Amino acid sequence: MNFQTYAELWRIPDVRRILVLGVFLRIPMPASAVIVTLHVVGPLDRSYAEAGLVSTVLAIAMAISNPWLGRLLDRVGLRRTVLLPLTVLPFAWSIAPWVGYVPLLGLVAAAGLFTVPSFSIVRQVMLRSVGPGKRTAALSADSVMTELCFMVGPLIGVLGASYLGTSWALLLIQWLGILAAVVLWLFNPTITEGEPALPADAAPLTTASATRRTRLPSWVNPGVTLLLIGTFSASLILVAEDLGTVAAMREFERTTLLGLVMAIWASGSLIGAIVYGALNRHPSAAVMLVLLGATTVLTAFAWGPISFTALLLLSGFFCAPSLTAALEAITSNVPSTVRGEVMGWHGSAITLGSAVGAPTAGYAIDLTGWQGGFLFGGGLGLLIAGAVWFTTRRMSTPAEASLPSGERSPAAAE
């Protein structure tokens, strides 16, 4: 385990700049989620279900936009891609806080379709700026910063809505993100390091196979597909844990401690990301997904708020590392020239996992109590993760056995 790697990463100017800029690009997302909910149920006098519909519309729009904006990054570069959101977002978010519910839905959908692909950009800059041996640490550092944004963002959103009102708070927080995007456009960091050699298992297509696959992107292969499925399952697990935690604290009659418990869970994920990035040998994505699913199921057997928080902390330890491991394996298995598109699909897998997991986990909770969320999310995630692990084991080639210690084919999730 080598924590010195993080200090070495921080000394790289592009890494340092993009991590700081990434904070300002990302904080508006969790902050706005809270503000929009308060805005819909407050000034607009609508129900929580209608507030949830706004979040669903935004999630669907972002799931659509992630791949095509990522592909645009690969094809036309950062400046021309970011310029597109900068022509739409200032108008959408300047009008949205002051209109009724139905126009708000339309403006949120437009904003979601043209959201700056900050996650893809930050990660591509990180991967371009470091050597292959530090990629996992770089992605872990990005996960740590993301966790901090999602811990601080809701607090900023609540404070802003309380002291400024929801309309002004939404306007100001979104303009913070827009200004950060302008700085990104001016900074214009390089996002690719040139065309790398494809992994051994990604052999060039023959004419016949190319003909059969003309409708599929060149990077599509079983390894990447399995890792995207694994990312979907990890996101499903996390949203089930989120809903299950709310239900559990209500059942324990400790709703006043909900914020603290959620913060402890997030801190577990943050610590897990730091430790995972510092490891000399990193467990595979499939192994991390299995551990995440298993510890989620285990949390359902808590008997009180203290044991519940302890088990949730344990499960949180595998949250960020699971997503990091999957993303590292995916990006290592594709050329840098298509990383933007692939990272877009990775973001869509996370979004779709949340979209599918939220209503189904909610149904499980209504049916069986708070334990149902953890049993459903952890059980289904564990089933998918186990299938990914078993399949990648079967896909492993004998050539991997001859690789030097510590090396493996990035196509394999295990």
Side-chain angles (χ1 to χ4, degrees):
M1 190 175 297
N2 182 16
F3 291 100
Q4 182 64 26
T5 303
Y6 292 113
E8 295 171 0
L9 289 174
W10 189 253
R11 294 190 192 104
I12 301 173
D14 279 357
V15 170
R16 185 169 60 249
R17 283 195 290 261
I18 200 63
L19 282 176
V20 174
L21 186 57
V23 170
F24 294 98
L25 286 167
R26 291 168 176 174
I27 277 183
M29 185 182 300
S32 295
V34 174
I35 297 171
V36 167
T37 299
L38 296 173
H39 183 67
V40 172
V41 301
L44 297 186
D45 195 25
R46 298 284 183 145
S47 67
Y48 279 97
E50 288 171 306
L53 180 59
V54 177
S55 299
T56 301
V57 167
L58 180 61
I60 293 173
M62 291 181 65
I64 294 171
S65 73
N66 282 333
W68 78 268
L69 282 177
R71 191 175 187 184
L72 206 59
L73 271 175
D74 298 329
R75 291 190 170 188
V76 303
L78 185 146
R79 272 196 166 170
R80 292 173 66 182
T81 300
V82 173
L83 191 61
L84 186 59
L86 285 177
T87 61
V88 175
L89 295 179
F91 294 99
W93 287 119
S94 294
I95 299 171
W98 317 106
V99 299
Y101 180 74
V102 175
L104 176 65
L105 283 176
L107 289 166
V108 165
L113 287 172
F114 293 93
T115 297
V116 176
S118 57
F119 287 90
S120 179
I121 291 171
V122 171
R123 289 162 180 168
Q124 287 195 79
V125 174
M126 296 280 287
L127 293 174
R128 189 268 305 167
S129 302
V130 304
K134 294 181 180 178
R135 283 179 174 176
T136 301
L139 291 174
S140 295
D142 177 65
S143 293
V144 170
M145 300 302 287
T146 301
E147 290 290 342
L148 291 174
C149 290
F150 278 80
M151 291 172 68
V152 174
L155 177 61
I156 293 175
V158 171
L159 291 175
S162 300
Y163 288 98
L164 301 174
T166 55
S167 295
W168 281 105
L170 183 59
L171 178 70
L172 292 176
I173 197 66
Q174 284 297 336
W175 267 95
L176 172 65
I178 291 168
L179 292 175
V182 172
V183 174
L184 177 66
W185 186 86
L186 294 172
F187 174 28
N188 191 28
T190 304
I191 57 176
T192 60
E193 72 273 16
E195 178 72 20
L198 285 171
D201 67 329
L205 296 173
T206 63
T207 303
S209 63
T211 302
R212 290 194 299 270
R213 294 182 56 184
T214 52
R215 295 187 177 182
L216 289 176
S218 59
W219 53 265
V220 174
N221 61 57
V224 171
T225 303
L226 285 170
L227 288 163
L228 289 174
I229 293 173
T231 300
F232 170 89
S233 69
S235 179
L236 186 148
I237 291 172
L238 296 183
V239 75
E241 285 190 292
D242 196 349
L243 294 175
T245 299
V246 175
M249 297 310 290
R250 290 186 64 188
E251 178 71 20
F252 295 141
E253 298 182 350
R254 294 290 189 274
T255 52
T256 55
L257 298 177
L258 178 60
L260 176 61
V261 172
M262 297 290 277
I264 291 173
W265 181 33
S267 67
S269 180
L270 188 150
I271 294 169
I274 294 174
V275 172
Y276 185 79
L279 293 174
N280 295 322
R281 291 179 61 88
H282 302 95
S284 69
V287 170
M288 298 307 298
L289 287 169
V290 169
L291 291 171
L292 176 61
T295 52
T296 300
V297 171
L298 183 63
T299 307
F301 296 94
W303 57 88
I306 295 178
S307 61
F308 175 82
T309 304
L311 291 172
L312 191 66
L313 175 65
L314 175 64
S315 180
F317 190 78
F318 301 104
C319 291
S322 296
L323 294 172
T324 298
L327 180 60
E328 196 278 333
I330 289 171
T331 55
S332 296
N333 195 37
V334 299
S336 65
T337 51
V338 296
R339 275 188 192 149
E341 182 180 359
V342 175
M343 287 186 181
W345 282 108
H346 177 266
S348 293
I350 293 175
T351 302
L352 292 174
S354 297
V356 172
T360 47
Y363 178 76
I365 292 170
D366 290 337
L367 194 65
T368 63
W370 68 266
Q371 294 91 341
F374 289 89
L375 291 174
F376 162 78
L380 183 58
L382 187 58
L383 183 65
I384 296 173
V388 171
W389 178 81
F390 177 76
T391 305
T392 52
R393 291 278 294 181
R394 294 291 299 271
M395 287 170 55
S396 297
T397 60
E400 289 188 358
S402 63
L403 290 174
S405 176
E407 296 183 15
R408 59 181 177 83
S409 170
E414 200 243 347

